[in-house]
Amino acid sequence: MTKDEILAKTGLTVGVDNVSFSVAEGETFVIMGLCGSGKSTLVRCLNRLIEPTSGEIFLGGEDLTKMHKDKLRQIRRKDMSMVFQNFALLPNRTVLENAEYGLEIQGIDREERREKAMQSLELVGLAGYENSKPDQLSGGMKQRVGLARALANDPEVLLMDEAFSALDPLIRADMQDELLSLQEKMQKTIIFITHDLDEALKLGDRIMLMNDGKAVQTGTAEEILTEPADDYVQRFVRGVNRGDVLTAGDIMSKPWATVTLGQGPRLALKEMRKYGMELLFVLARDRKLAGAVTLEDVVKTAEKGEKSLESILQKDIAKAQMDTVITDLLPLTVNGTLPLAVIDEDERLRGVVVRGSILEALIPEGGDEDADSSTSA
Amino acid sequence: MLIPALLPRIPIGNWFATLVRWLKDTFEIVFDAIVVFLDWTIDALEWLLNFTEIYFEIPSFWFLSVLLALLAWKMSGRGVAIFTFLGIMLIASMNLWGPAVQTLAVIITATIVALIIGIPLGILAAKFNPVNAVVRPILDFMQTLPAFVYLLPAVIFFGIGVVPAVIATIIFAMPPAVRLTNLGIRQVPVELIEAGEAFGSNWFQLLFKVQLPQAMPTIMAGVNQCIMLSLSMVVIASLIGGGGLGSVVNRGISRLDVGLGFEGGLAVVIIAIILDRLTQGSED
């Protein structure tokens, strides 16, 4: 039966249609889709704020859908917390009283819950505001209270329903950064709902794209950008600033040829001629990048008959880390030498990036075939 | 005419009279208990309002005018405080303080009972739709049925006196308390309810920690309306022995004494304004 047939027969709209996914412990899993794609319904099914009509939800081996109400309440109190789009703070309570709501519900005594709530307010950077009322705070601060309230319970799973969507762009970016750094410390399992692909790509270890109640594609940011499953995903992805997502490691090619410091100009010249290069990377021991030499200098030293590249070695060359995003590579390619050297944490040369591959990466796939339809996306 | 022949006379009036008689015979003990309870409450209130006079020979209007003025100052500001003091003095100077105390005792009793029944009923109506479906038409009935119509059964059940007057007042004044409590709870934003549930609140926690605090301003408006409607029943209730300022107005009407009627009416208005400002001030 299709969605329309169900609507005609029962008067009910299908919110979430046959979606399955699993989230690993400590993972940030982003569910993304446009309005009406069923993502908010889906997240509410996870803690049964909305009862799913069929299906199973496992949390650590237990099926939430078959659970008795009292047991479910315990899960909501201890294991799963939720952060809401419009903050959902109680306006009659102070920031501290809001943050301790979950603990109060559990019947934890006043002093202990105060202490825990204060800790979690400090964690989100709201120490000193504990006696303010929510309407005295800005949007970003309100959502910090929402986050503090959710964290005060010390849950395993954090459900975030469009948590940053009501914030203006700058505050939003700050909150995203903050969530990332908090997550590095806490290692919670986060299920994050958003309609903003840039946000999804920034936060998500993995992303599930939803359309019309169905899961369209699940994968890492790169997988979604580079291998969109269908036209819908592709249209979505086209608007993304790929430069903020793809990294040097994604687009680099293997270094064709290198010489080590001990090898002489003659060998360097031979290598450069073989591949038609004007710049050659020179490695120290352990394949650590020492620098580069230019064709011009190599020819001169070879003519002089010197045995070492030491004198003409340029140490100050443009280098990028594996995880540098393309946007940050661009300035290097304008001012620095080309190709770019890509190194890992141990300064070993892992690959090179030429300008062509940067430009290629920035153009969306299939971009010029139907450029008109991008406006409808 | 053809129609009366085709359409039989349905004796609703007779049925109702029979029902009232049956109720009176069957539940006599219950009605008597209600009479005893309400009589006692009203007497206690009257004693409370007059205790300075009884024990310290300070006229109660001095004591109450100062007390209420201070209360009004704290809740609504200086203007209302001055009005309260002068208003009570004016009532006393018209020699109407005695009836005014009686009236106060009646409406306070009626309001308290109406709220004790009305607010929980409003909560139930908000939480359970079937309750709402049953309660709503009853409230419509209570509000629109002319008050004189239920004066009669009230007299049959409770006899003549202050108690049937209080009962009639309760019936008339309760609907807004139920309706506004219901409305206030239903108007709490869905997201707040979801937040309450998502953190594992049970039924009572959700009610007392989320819904009632958010609904408070609306519920207080209901309390205010409840008091105002009780006051507006004062004159009608005096027809069956409600006493107080209502019977002053009635005396004025029956003797065609315009001055007396106006003074009684004015005293009711002054009390209404004082109580309104006091309860509205406490809304914020």
Coordinates of all heavy atoms in Angstrom, one line a residue, chain B residues 124-125 127-136 186:
Chain B
L124 N -9.5 17.4 35.4 CA -9.9 16.1 34.8 C -10.4 16.3 33.4 O -10.1 15.6 32.5 CB -11.0 15.5 35.7 CG -10.5 15.0 37.1 CD1 -11.7 14.4 37.9 CD2 -9.5 13.9 36.9
A125 N -11.2 17.4 33.2 CA -11.7 17.7 31.9 C -10.6 18.0 30.9 O -10.7 17.6 29.7 CB -12.6 18.9 31.9
K127 N -7.5 16.7 31.1 CA -6.7 15.5 31.0 C -7.4 14.4 30.3 O -6.8 13.5 29.6 CB -6.2 15.0 32.4 CG -5.1 15.9 33.0 CD -3.7 15.6 32.5 CE -2.7 15.8 33.6 NZ -1.4 15.2 33.3
F128 N -8.7 14.3 30.5 CA -9.5 13.2 29.9 C -10.6 13.8 29.0 O -11.6 14.4 29.5 CB -10.1 12.3 31.0 CG -9.1 11.8 31.9 CD1 -8.9 12.3 33.2 CD2 -8.2 10.8 31.5 CE1 -8.0 11.8 34.1 CE2 -7.2 10.3 32.4 CZ -7.1 10.8 33.7
N129 N -10.5 13.5 27.7 CA -11.5 14.1 26.8 C -13.0 13.6 27.1 O -13.9 14.4 27.0 CB -11.2 13.8 25.4 CG -10.1 14.8 24.9 OD1 -10.1 15.9 25.3 ND2 -9.2 14.3 24.0
P130 N -13.2 12.3 27.5 CA -14.6 11.9 27.8 C -15.2 12.8 29.0 O -16.3 13.1 28.9 CB -14.4 10.5 28.2 CG -13.2 10.0 27.6 CD -12.3 11.2 27.5
V131 N -14.4 13.0 30.0 CA -14.8 13.9 31.1 C -15.3 15.2 30.5 O -16.3 15.8 30.8 CB -13.7 14.1 32.2 CG1 -14.2 15.0 33.2 CG2 -13.4 12.7 32.8
N132 N -14.4 15.8 29.7 CA -14.7 17.1 29.0 C -16.0 17.0 28.3 O -16.9 17.9 28.4 CB -13.6 17.5 28.1 CG -13.7 18.9 27.7 OD1 -14.2 19.8 28.4 ND2 -13.3 19.2 26.4
A133 N -16.3 15.9 27.6 CA -17.5 15.8 26.8 C -18.7 15.8 27.7 O -19.8 16.3 27.3 CB -17.4 14.5 25.9
V134 N -18.6 15.2 28.9 CA -19.7 15.2 29.8 C -19.9 16.5 30.5 O -21.0 17.0 30.6 CB -19.6 14.0 30.8 CG1 -20.7 14.1 31.8 CG2 -19.5 12.7 30.1
V135 N -18.8 17.1 30.9 CA -18.8 18.3 31.7 C -19.3 19.5 31.0 O -20.1 20.3 31.5 CB -17.4 18.5 32.4 CG1 -17.3 20.0 32.9 CG2 -17.2 17.5 33.5
R136 N -18.9 19.6 29.7 CA -19.2 20.8 29.0 C -20.7 21.2 28.9 O -21.1 22.3 29.2 CB -18.6 20.8 27.6 CG -17.3 21.6 27.6 CD -16.6 21.6 26.2 NE -17.5 22.3 25.2 CZ -17.1 22.5 24.0 NH1 -16.0 21.9 23.5 NH2 -17.9 23.2 23.1
R186 N -5.0 23.0 28.8 CA -4.9 22.6 27.4 C -4.0 23.5 26.6 O -3.5 23.2 25.6 CB -6.3 22.6 26.8 CG -7.1 21.4 27.2 CD -8.5 21.4 26.6 NE -9.2 20.3 27.2 CZ -9.4 19.1 26.6 NH1 -8.8 18.9 25.4 NH2 -10.1 18.1 27.2

